[in-house]
Amino acid sequence: MIQRIQSVYLLIVAVLFTILIFMPSLGVIPCKCDLNCSIFLQSNFLFFLRIIIVAVSILSIFLYKKRKVQIRLTIFSIILISIYYVPLILYISPETFFHFIIPIALPFIGIIFSFLALRAIKKDEALIRSLDRIR
């Protein structure tokens, strides 16, 4: 299970989003106050979305025998990670000055590792199908 490379990729995604659970997503400085005043965006929606992404990634690791379900869950994880950026983009308005902090890049890294896991799962599926044709 863990010796397969896609399991390692999915584990990295789960670890990234576990780290994100405890960190703010975006630092926002309202223009009407001084630059020392900073507000961090942290909403319940983003918190639950992070937990769901961790759960889907871990579940996908343990479904290594059901590769088609694993592919669907990985695609679902990529969609959820993409949805994660929507509230962040909607929160930014012309009246605010925002500065990026490190956790804003972690979901993008998670998308990359999810794509790598998806590619490896599809490669395994193609290998199994080719071995079934030989028999």
Side-chain angles (χ1 to χ4, degrees):
M1 164 178 71
I2 198 69
Q3 66 270 18
R4 297 169 52 227
I5 191 69
Q6 58 264 32
S7 298
V8 174
Y9 292 147
L10 292 170
L11 184 65
I12 290 172
V13 172
V15 168
L16 285 175
F17 276 90
T18 303
I19 291 170
L20 275 176
I21 288 174
F22 302 106
M23 299 179 89
S25 300
L26 183 68
V28 177
I29 301 172
C31 285
K32 295 183 174 109
C33 70
D34 61 351
L35 293 176
N36 295 330
C37 175
S38 182
I39 302 168
F40 291 102
L41 176 62
Q42 185 78 340
S43 70
N44 289 336
F45 174 73
L46 293 177
F47 178 75
F48 289 119
L49 194 59
R50 293 172 189 163
I51 290 175
I52 291 170
I53 292 169
V54 170
V56 168
S57 296
I58 291 173
L59 180 66
S60 183
I61 291 171
F62 290 109
L63 292 174
Y64 62 93
K65 289 184 180 179
K66 300 177 182 178
R67 283 172 301 281
K68 290 184 181 183
V69 175
Q70 195 177 28
I71 288 171
R72 288 186 185 131
L73 282 176
T74 306
I75 291 172
F76 182 64
S77 176
I78 292 170
I79 292 170
L80 287 177
I81 296 171
S82 300
I83 290 172
Y84 180 82
Y85 278 114
V86 171
L88 299 177
I89 293 170
L90 292 177
Y91 189 76
I92 298 171
S93 67
E95 297 90 33
T96 58
F97 174 74
F98 62 94
H99 61 280
F100 288 106
I101 52 178
I102 300 230
I104 198 72
L106 293 181
F108 183 71
I109 296 168
I111 290 174
I112 292 170
F113 278 111
S114 293
F115 275 122
L116 291 173
L118 185 64
R119 194 174 75 180
I121 295 167
K122 287 182 179 181
K123 191 184 293 185
D124 273 0
E125 182 68 23
L127 178 67
I128 297 297
R129 285 185 185 175
S130 69
L131 290 176
D132 285 344
R133 277 187 246 138
I134 294 174
R135 291 183 205 176

